[in-house]
Amino acid sequence: MPIDSIRFRVFESPDSACACAASEIARLIRERAALNRPAVIGFATGATPLALFEELIYLHQEEGLSFANVVTFNLDEYLGRKPDDPLSFRSFMMRELFNHLNVPARNQHFLRGDIPKSTVASHCADYEREIVAAGGIDIQLLGIGRNGHIGFNEPGSSIDGRTRRVALAASTREDAASGFGGLDKVPNAALTMGCATILDARRIILMAWGAKKASIVRRALAEPVTPKIPASFLSTHPAVEFFLDPPAAALLRKNR
């Protein structure tokens, strides 16, 4: 598939890209508030969206943007982590975003990493039903792993996959090792929205920064759709866009 047929935008910096994404989210929130309807946002965790979180907090605290009509769903969670564990994704989101906004607690949805193995399937099915009950996700935010994963949909994931338990790839665990204080402390499994769940979103914004992401960004955009690169599934979506900084887009620019 030619690169020119894929939607991507190159920004001066991650900050400028995140300001653009935040502006789009704010516009949706205001439009839905005027109609007395919710805006449903799917959030990713990690370092990639931190500048976006800062911009959303600024819009709320300095410009009065209310998040009272916002419903949120988080992409994934490590298995074996309680919600209040400092290393859980729920704790990350509370610390970096939700503690600073007025999103009602009842509207914040997270997968739980501390549930018994016997209830994983039902918990994941309930999460899918909650997304449907909320009216579906309006904007889904994503990062991309260096092996091409989105959420925790590792290479080999199906485009038809739904929210489920997954085994984490070695490269994914290696990338998380510093945050956990060593590879041996990184969980081996997680819960994640599936690729089909992600693709159900009305709008998808994938953000990638830095030269380390250039190779996988190019592969996701330029190579054929394949389960070996789950991010390549995004090219089948009618309203997906990659937000990139110049280093992450370097290998694309050479082909334009």
Side-chain angles (χ1 to χ4, degrees):
M1 181 175 295
I3 288 174
D4 284 348
S5 70
I6 306 296
R7 290 176 293 278
F8 69 89
R9 296 177 63 182
V10 183
F11 295 82
E12 290 183 359
S13 67
D15 285 350
S16 59
C18 288
C20 180
S23 177
E24 182 173 337
I25 291 169
R27 184 168 59 252
L28 173 70
I29 291 170
R30 292 187 178 108
E31 289 173 352
R32 292 297 177 81
L35 298 171
N36 197 30
R37 292 176 54 198
V40 185
I41 312 297
F43 280 107
T45 55
T48 299
L50 285 178
L52 171 62
F53 294 173
E54 291 174 2
E55 188 68 21
L56 293 175
I57 292 167
Y58 175 84
L59 291 173
H60 172 62
Q61 296 183 350
E62 303 299 327
E63 297 190 5
L65 177 65
S66 175
F67 286 75
N69 69 317
V70 173
V71 177
T72 69
F73 289 89
N74 256 63
L75 267 174
D76 41 29
E77 181 60 273
Y78 288 112
L79 272 177
R81 296 284 165 178
K82 295 182 179 180
D84 60 354
D85 186 311
L87 293 176
S88 75
F89 285 158
R90 184 186 186 282
S91 287
F92 176 92
M93 292 300 300
M94 300 306 298
R95 184 170 60 247
E96 301 294 341
L97 185 63
F98 293 135
N99 286 344
H100 311 283
L101 302 178
N102 65 327
V103 180
R106 66 181 181 277
N107 289 357
Q108 301 168 20
H109 297 85
F110 301 93
L111 290 161
R112 291 190 62 121
D114 62 339
I115 58 175
K117 184 180 295 187
S118 62
T119 64
V120 165
S122 60
H123 176 62
C124 291
D126 287 344
Y127 205 66
E128 292 278 340
R129 283 191 285 270
E130 288 171 346
I131 294 173
V132 172
I137 293 173
D138 292 306
I139 299 177
Q140 177 65 58
L141 301 165
L142 299 174
I144 183 172
R146 62 186 174 102
N147 64 2
H149 72 230
I150 48 175
F152 275 137
N153 293 283
E154 302 283 21
S157 295
S158 168
I159 195 171
D160 298 321
R162 291 289 175 180
T163 303
R164 68 201 188 284
R165 179 191 186 279
V166 294
L168 298 179
S171 61
T172 299
R173 297 184 67 248
E174 289 165 5
D175 289 345
S178 61
F180 281 87
L183 182 61
D184 60 318
K185 298 178 182 178
V186 180
N188 291 299
L191 301 180
T192 186
M193 286 187 196
C195 292
T197 315
I198 292 169
L199 291 169
D200 279 346
R202 296 178 184 88
R203 164 78 161 142
I204 299 173
I205 298 174
L206 184 147
M207 300 175 289
W209 325 131
K212 291 183 178 179
K213 296 295 178 72
S215 177
I216 193 60
V217 163
R218 183 197 173 281
R219 294 184 66 195
L221 290 176
E223 295 186 9
V225 175
T226 172
K228 294 179 181 178
I229 307 173
S232 70
F233 295 151
L234 297 176
S235 67
T236 68
H237 193 279
V240 66
E241 197 164 20
F242 280 42
F243 281 23
L244 311 170
D245 67 358
L251 298 181
L252 300 178
R253 294 166 69 88
K254 290 177 182 179
N255 287 274
R256 290 181 71 86

